[in-house]
Amino acid sequence: MKGNSDTSTTPSGAELPKDWRYEETIREVETIITEIETGQLDLADVFERFAAAITYLRQCEAFLADRQGQMELLIEELGDETEF
């Protein structure tokens, strides 16, 4: 999907929908967990929803790793500036 205007790529190369939001994605994962825990889904639906949750969690992991890298770079740059 690279080059698609509906997605953006994080520095680690992970693709996220253009309007992707961490908090909304976490809420969706929580909703999926609740749906699975109720026991009301057909087995096929459980697998489908579980796979979706894994995709969402991978997106969150990539987002957080990228932000952590950005923070470490900023801290390193700040340290370099204070050495003068």
Side-chain angles (χ1 to χ4, degrees):
M1 279 194 140
K2 288 186 180 184
N4 185 338
S5 63
D6 292 339
T7 62
S8 62
T9 304
T10 64
S12 69
E15 289 188 9
L16 301 174
K18 193 172 187 173
D19 60 347
W20 188 89
R21 300 283 183 262
Y22 178 84
E23 294 80 5
E24 292 174 17
T25 304
I26 291 297
R27 277 193 293 275
E28 182 63 25
V29 170
E30 291 171 346
T31 298
I32 291 170
I33 291 169
T34 300
E35 289 174 351
I36 292 172
E37 288 178 339
T38 65
Q40 300 298 314
L41 297 174
D42 292 333
L43 188 56
D45 292 333
V46 169
F47 287 122
E48 182 180 311
R49 298 300 284 157
F50 182 76
I54 295 299
T55 298
Y56 294 144
L57 290 172
R58 286 183 178 149
Q59 291 173 349
C60 290
E61 181 180 39
F63 172 81
L64 291 174
D66 288 336
R67 293 312 182 263
Q68 180 180 4
Q70 289 174 0
M71 293 298 294
E72 289 171 357
L73 181 61
L74 290 171
I75 291 168
E76 183 178 312
E77 289 175 359
L78 181 62
D80 290 345
E81 289 177 6
T82 60
E83 290 179 5
F84 293 110

